[in-house]
Amino acid sequence: MRCGKRRNEVDSVSVATATKRSGGTAAAGKRPGPGRDHSAWFLVLPALIPILILSVGPLLYGIALAFTDAQSGRTQPTQWVGTLNFQDLLHDTLFWDSFRIGLLWAVGVTVPQFLLALGLALLLDQNLRFRWLARALAIIPWAMPEVVVGIMWRLVYNPDAGILNETIRDLGLGDGRDWLTGLATALPAVILVGIWAGMPQTTVALLAGLQNTPHELHEAAALDGAGAWRRFRTVTWPALKPVALAITALNFIWNFNSFALVYVLTNGGPGGRTRLPMLFAYEEAFRYGQFGYAAAMGCVMVAVVSVLLALYLVGRLKGDQDR
Amino acid sequence: MSTLRTSRAARFGQYLALLAYLVFLAFPFLWLISTAFKPAPELGSLHPTWIPKDPTLANFRQAFDEQPLLQAAGNSLVAALAAALIAVVIATPMAYVMARHRGRLATAATGWVVVSQAFPFVLVIIPLFLVLKNLHLINSLLGLVMVYVVWSLPFALWMLTGYVRAVPAELEEAAAVDGAGRLRTLVSVTAPLLAPGIVATALFAFITAWNEFFFALVLLKTPEKQTLPVVLTHFLGAEGVADLGPLAAAAFLATIPSLVIFAIIQKRITGGMLTGAVKS
């Protein structure tokens, strides 16, 4: 707490927002605004301390580790090595392979998933029968542990006893194949699972966005004779855009950083074709004990997703302005 | 919501599309259930069927024989319950400040919530591993709970902030006019109205921890300590050659608690997402 002046500023802001929210003036000045006393800090500390110790602290420690030769189970003390890990990373073709695969996977999951989820959200926004069933089913992938999702799809993809190949055989399209171990099919196969697994969150966010769109505008546009596509383009999409941008950026980040699903499906195989950056870093850290090197990989991943995060924040700010 | 006239053809197309989505979303799960109830000969068949011809519970028995599933479920339950309770208890007051306070503190907290979504966990888990090792909390549920609490905080804060905003500030103002202090107001006016949101958040944190895999994989070493998702991967075997029946049975069982909880709080979660993720 620097001085009283600062706190008064805070108070007037919160009062202003409170007044705006209640749409009136009554009692606004007497509102028990946090910041008037020190209790805001007491309310925040129980969460703030663990956050600092177990989240912010480790993050900074992790960045520091990237500049050391830290290894597990070694007797000599850890030393600063400057940017050596990063220089090694530059020449590590395996890492860049995994990086490329990570980007392919993240784009390959995020974009089709967005389109599919948008379609589903638009459908669920309509007054259709069985909508409740779709809503309930759409939640299943969300409730399942990622490990189970991976196991479940391995059963689907199973070359002999799986339903996918059986369907292919039934349709007379051939014998099917071993999707998860084929060099060409492994990445598309895991991408399909990624799309499936992330559908609920994306759909729910888009549906929420749709329900915020001004309905009167929609009707007015319809009365003016605008077709469905035109109404979507001129009314729905402009209102949905901030949400769409935000969820897409977040999905891309989550996908780029994902681990469990692919660990269970292929464990990075065949021949590294599905080895996402997180799988690579995990092996480097906990199989080979190269903590410093793996931390450097983490730093590079953070740098990449930070760009996306910036996009996301811009999207959110815009969303606030539009309101 | 659509009061617009929609032509019959368009309606038909919509139902067709909805059906396609239903099939896409449901079929892997139905296949999992189908596999779980199939006897070994049917699993080896080149022509598997949707409905088991000779349904059996043998896979479930075998699953429990092969891996310590009950113990793993117990570990998951303890870790998830503890993490959910602690997370909600410490997140609620902070979410209150974030929702009502427009100071630097609230801005920083909101910023952290957003930024923490972008952490690649490997950058956090290596230092945490080292710290927990020094504290002798590797292979301990206590260490895992600590990690889960902090890990579930961003989303808990996000949801709870939305719930606090939904409580009309006028009620707190009225209490203040009546001379109630801030903590008093919080406890006797705001908290009761928040209760449903707090419960939903706790259940969501529970599911998140129940489902979590990466931290558990890194931090838990011995089978007696491992949580359900980690133990499930043991069914996959070293070469990925799995015993399909018990694998499916165990995976199906592991999903039931989350599905039940999700069915209960589904509306609130979507509400929380709506207020938290979109409106804030």
Side-chain angles (χ1 to χ4, degrees), chain B residues 15-39:
Chain B
Y15 276 108
L16 210 63
L18 192 66
L19 182 70
Y21 275 110
L22 289 180
V23 170
F24 176 60
L25 290 166
F27 93 90
F29 189 58
L30 295 176
W31 189 247
L32 173 75
I33 298 172
S34 162
T35 310
F37 290 98
K38 276 180 188 162

Side-chain angles (χ1 to χ4, degrees), chain B:
Chain B
M1 95 153 221
S2 180
T3 52
L4 303 171
R5 287 262 171 92
T6 316
S7 74
R8 261 177 197 211
R11 263 284 120 110
F12 181 72
Q14 286 174 344
Y15 276 108
L16 210 63
L18 192 66
L19 182 70
Y21 275 110
L22 289 180
V23 170
F24 176 60
L25 290 166
F27 93 90
F29 189 58
L30 295 176
W31 189 247
L32 173 75
I33 298 172
S34 162
T35 310
F37 290 98
K38 276 180 188 162
E42 272 191 61
L43 288 168
S45 149
L46 253 177
H47 289 284
T49 50
W50 273 104
I51 314 277
K53 287 177 206 130
D54 192 12
T56 171
L57 289 174
N59 292 324
F60 291 88
R61 204 174 313 123
Q62 203 184 330
F64 280 96
D65 286 344
E66 279 178 24
Q67 297 291 339
L69 284 183
L70 271 182
Q71 195 174 35
N75 290 340
S76 281
L77 188 69
V78 169
L81 263 184
L85 286 178
I86 300 171
V88 166
V89 167
I90 65 179
T92 304
M94 181 156 171
Y96 178 78
V97 172
M98 284 169 68
R100 292 281 195 248
H101 181 106
R102 294 273 164 143
R104 237 181 257 165
L105 189 63
T107 313
T110 313
W112 173 79
V113 166
V114 174
V115 169
S116 63
Q117 300 299 306
F119 289 3
F121 291 136
V122 72
L123 197 55
V124 183
I125 194 66
I126 298 170
L128 273 176
F129 182 84
L130 293 172
V131 170
L132 292 175
K133 200 173 161 191
N134 284 330
L135 295 171
H136 300 286
L137 286 175
I138 296 292
N139 203 25
S140 127
L141 284 181
L142 180 61
L144 190 69
V145 167
M146 287 164 65
V147 176
Y148 280 178
V149 166
V150 176
W151 179 66
S152 60
L153 270 180
F155 202 81
L157 286 170
W158 208 331
M159 280 178 77
L160 285 168
T161 308
Y163 289 124
V164 175
R165 288 219 178 98
V167 173
E170 291 90 337
L171 291 176
E172 286 164 24
E173 285 155 17
V177 171
D178 291 346
R182 213 146 86 58
L183 274 175
R184 174 89 192 276
T185 308
L186 184 56
V187 170
S188 58
V189 177
T190 319
L193 291 168
L194 276 181
I198 292 175
V199 171
T201 309
L203 288 171
F204 192 80
F206 176 88
I207 295 175
T208 320
W210 176 272
N211 291 352
E212 204 281 333
F213 177 64
F214 181 66
F215 293 134
L217 176 72
V218 172
L219 295 177
L220 304 172
K221 298 296 170 198
T222 57
E224 312 85 68
K225 289 287 162 91
Q226 283 168 343
T227 54
L228 204 46
V230 182
V231 169
L232 283 181
T233 62
H234 297 333
F235 280 104
L236 292 172
E239 254 73 65
V241 186
D243 214 345
L244 298 181
L247 175 72
F252 174 59
L253 286 180
T255 311
I256 291 176
S258 326
L259 281 181
V260 170
I261 293 177
F262 236 94
I264 297 169
I265 59 169
Q266 187 216 329
K267 278 238 170 70
R268 293 213 148 261
I269 292 220
T270 46
M273 276 283 281
L274 198 146
T275 46
V278 183
K279 279 188 175 166
S280 69

Side-chain angles (χ1 to χ4, degrees), chain A residues 113-147:
Chain A
Q113 182 180 71
F114 174 79
L115 295 173
L116 280 174
L118 180 62
L120 183 57
L122 287 169
L123 278 176
L124 293 181
D125 199 35
Q126 301 288 315
N127 206 0
L128 296 179
R129 248 169 275 184
F130 305 113
R131 178 168 76 155
W132 63 272
L133 182 64
R135 276 183 194 237
L137 276 178
I139 292 293
I140 287 182
W142 197 353
M144 292 182 108
E146 275 186 292
V147 167

Side-chain angles (χ1 to χ4, degrees), chain A residues 114 118 121 201-213 236-251 311-312 314-320 322-323, chain B residues 273-274 277-280:
Chain A
F114 174 79
L118 180 62
Q201 290 93 321
T202 314
T203 307
V204 164
L206 291 174
L207 191 56
L210 283 177
Q211 284 166 355
N212 278 344
T213 59
T236 313
W237 180 246
L240 195 62
K241 214 170 127 188
V243 178
L245 187 63
I247 192 71
T248 304
L250 271 182
N251 273 340
L311 269 181
Y312 164 69
V314 170
R316 260 181 71 147
L317 286 179
K318 263 196 151 169
D320 279 349
D322 293 350
R323 205 148 287 121
Chain B
M273 276 283 281
L274 198 146
V278 183
K279 279 188 175 166
S280 69

